[in-house]
Amino acid sequence: AVHRVTDVLNKHLLETAHCSLFEFPAIQSEALWQKSGRLEKFGSDIFRFDDQRGKATVLAPTHEITAADLFSKLITHRDQLPVRISQTQLNFRDETRPRGGWLRTRQFTMQDSYTADISAEEASKGYELVKEAYIRTFADLRLPVRVVEQTDTGAIGGDGSHEFHCPAALGDDTITDPDGAIHKSLECAHIFKLGDSYSQPMGAFVEAEDGTNVPRYMCSFGLGIERTVAAYAETYLPRSLSKAKVD
């Protein structure tokens, strides 16, 4: 089931959003997080340790920072933009309330996509393409996912975001119907318009047409692989069991 979700997702990310496949390291320097200003925002959720040389190190809870660092080193001219990369990678978070097997765990598989553009207008085009790839993925998986716009971007930050929720009795989130009815749900994916909140501190600038250096406009996208499998099981397994005959 995990491989099925990943295969369907990668298909739509390639065909719809034209994402290239990539993979960031799960073990990262704490100095990178200090430079970005995000270390304290994540607080105790980050696993931190010293390696055998005494270098402060973290297990990555997400990869926006390494994406911005990569863009700052490899993208030197506006003609190289836009950039859209995707990875499926283990993330690590020291959750205060791990529960439910695949629902909220300290180690989990995420599909992450990151984009870099010359402006907010251009970034919005890529944002909509990746959002559409997610929508098509959930449609292919026959999951009744609802897209909900959010203004609070939490520890990730940025200028706005959308969440993808699947109605589920075991969920720890909620969604509201147009008629006002409230249902429990599982958040399967979350996408963000990051703006320059990562590219600015990481020095990810590019020369604009007028000759000035401007920070790249970034977006990030994350879909929980195990969460999506759990949502599928919650949607279809109870129905299958209710139809089964027990001798």
Side-chain angles (χ1 to χ4, degrees):
V2 168
H3 294 300
R4 166 66 176 163
V5 172
T6 304
D7 289 345
V8 172
L9 178 57
N10 283 339
K11 170 180 177 289
H12 288 297
L13 286 170
L14 176 63
E15 294 179 356
T16 304
H18 314 296
C19 286
S20 300
L21 296 183
F22 198 80
E23 186 168 317
F24 290 112
I27 299 175
Q28 301 176 1
S29 169
E30 185 178 295
L32 200 64
W33 282 78
Q34 291 280 11
K35 180 180 178 181
S36 72
R38 296 284 160 176
L39 185 63
E40 299 308 319
K41 288 184 179 294
F42 274 88
S44 59
D45 283 354
I46 295 187
F47 284 104
R48 303 163 71 174
F49 61 96
D50 290 342
D51 66 14
Q52 62 181 334
R53 293 176 296 279
K55 184 178 179 181
T57 308
V58 303
L59 292 178
T62 185
H63 296 268
E64 285 83 3
I65 291 166
T66 39
D69 185 56
L70 177 75
F71 294 154
S72 72
K73 293 174 178 175
L74 298 184
I75 310 302
T76 58
H77 195 276
R78 61 181 179 274
D79 289 345
Q80 295 174 275
L81 300 174
V83 174
R84 298 174 192 141
I85 57 177
S86 172
Q87 68 163 7
T88 301
Q89 169 73 281
L90 284 175
N91 287 6
F92 302 87
R93 295 185 188 178
D94 194 1
E95 293 281 359
T96 56
R97 297 182 296 107
R99 71 174 190 92
W102 280 356
L103 298 184
R104 189 175 295 278
T105 59
R106 296 182 176 184
Q107 173 182 305
F108 53 96
T109 309
M110 286 289 293
Q111 178 279 324
D112 301 307
S113 292
Y114 301 100
T115 63
D117 288 89
I118 192 67
S119 66
E121 292 75 20
E122 290 299 314
S124 291
K125 298 176 184 177
Y127 185 86
E128 291 301 322
L129 288 175
V130 180
K131 184 168 75 170
E132 180 62 24
Y134 276 20
I135 290 171
R136 293 185 182 187
T137 296
F138 289 121
D140 273 4
L141 296 173
R142 296 184 292 117
L143 277 175
V145 166
R146 303 177 192 178
V147 183
V148 182
E149 187 172 5
Q150 298 291 327
T151 55
D152 182 4
T153 55
I156 300 295
D159 301 334
S161 71
H162 290 82
E163 294 177 349
F164 294 71
H165 286 262
C166 182
L170 53 69
D172 53 5
D173 295 294
T174 59
I175 51 176
T176 304
D177 284 343
D179 61 5
I182 298 175
H183 305 275
K184 282 192 171 183
S185 68
L186 275 173
E187 180 193 321
C188 296
H190 203 161
I191 64 179
F192 300 85
K193 292 182 177 181
L194 298 176
D196 62 1
S197 57
Y198 287 82
S199 55
Q200 182 84 251
M202 299 305 295
F205 291 85
V206 68
E207 185 178 334
E209 290 186 2
D210 62 3
T212 60
N213 286 328
V214 296
R216 296 165 182 82
Y217 197 102
M218 289 180 59
C219 298
S220 73
F221 312 81
L223 186 148
I225 302 297
E226 291 97 346
R227 277 218 163 195
T228 299
V229 173
Y232 188 91
E234 174 72 7
T235 301
Y236 292 105
L237 186 57
R239 187 181 307 172
S240 299
L241 291 176
S242 67
K243 295 179 180 178
K245 292 183 179 180
V246 180
D247 296 328

